[in-house]
């Protein structure tokens, strides 16, 4: 099993930045591809970004491309989401997720999830 704990959410004005962190514990972190998803009330979880096990390959939703950056530190068992130029429509609960081996942009394919962290962007 993998336990995931997100942190770094909060309230920020439009145009501002936040950095989300996800700390992992349990089995070998480097064997897991990692993803960030977000959810607003009444909607399904939406893909934001994903990163391969080594960190070499990254993937982004079109809505965040050029503004968000996903990274990971396998020595620290952590994955990060740097969010710049934030917009009110980025407001959501952000979740990190883990799945073994192969990266994916589909929430249902992830095995482990954190509890989420709220990001609110004011206009």
């Amino acid at each position: 099993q993998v336990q995931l704990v997100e942190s770094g959410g909060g309230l920020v004005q439009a145009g501002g930045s936040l950095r989300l962190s996800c700390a992992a514990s349990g089995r070998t972190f480097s064997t897991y591809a990692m993803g960030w998803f977000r959810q607003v009330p009444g909607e399904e979880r939406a893909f934001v970004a994903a990163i391969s096990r080594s960190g070499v390959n990254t993937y982004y939703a079109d809505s965040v491309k050029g503004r968000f950056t996903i990274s990971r530190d396998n020595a620290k068992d952590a994955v990060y989401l740097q969010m710049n130029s934030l917009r009110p429509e980025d407001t959501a609960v952000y979740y990190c997720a883990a799945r073994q081996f192969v990266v994916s942009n589909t929430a249902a394919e992830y095995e482990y999830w954190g509890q989420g962290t709220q990001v609110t962007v004011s206009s």
Side-chain angles (χ1 to χ4, degrees):
Q1 282 226 345
V2 176
Q3 292 79 44
L4 302 172
V5 179
E6 301 97 335
S7 62
L11 173 65
V12 64
Q13 287 189 330
S17 298
L18 282 175
R19 187 190 193 214
L20 304 184
S21 299
C22 176
S25 61
R27 293 185 177 177
T28 307
F29 179 69
S30 60
T31 66
Y32 288 85
M34 300 297 296
W36 285 97
F37 292 79
R38 63 188 182 188
Q39 188 171 26
V40 298
E43 297 184 12
E44 296 188 354
R45 287 184 188 182
F47 171 71
V48 175
I51 190 166
S52 61
R53 289 174 290 160
S54 66
V56 170
N57 298 308
T58 57
Y59 307 87
Y60 297 93
D62 288 344
S63 59
V64 306
K65 208 170 289 184
R67 300 187 297 123
F68 291 11
T69 303
I70 187 172
S71 61
R72 66 189 295 162
D73 186 339
N74 286 345
K76 294 183 178 179
D77 292 352
V79 63
Y80 309 98
L81 186 68
Q82 177 67 44
M83 306 186 294
N84 299 328
S85 302
L86 282 161
R87 304 167 180 168
E89 54 264 41
D90 295 318
T91 295
V93 177
Y94 282 72
Y95 298 89
C96 73
R99 74 183 301 258
Q100 281 213 304
F101 305 128
V102 182
V103 71
S104 170
N105 63 1
T106 303
E109 295 183 349
Y110 282 79
E111 302 158 271
Y112 303 103
W113 291 85
Q115 82 289 349
T117 186
Q118 176 71 47
V119 171
T120 303
V121 184
S122 63
S123 57

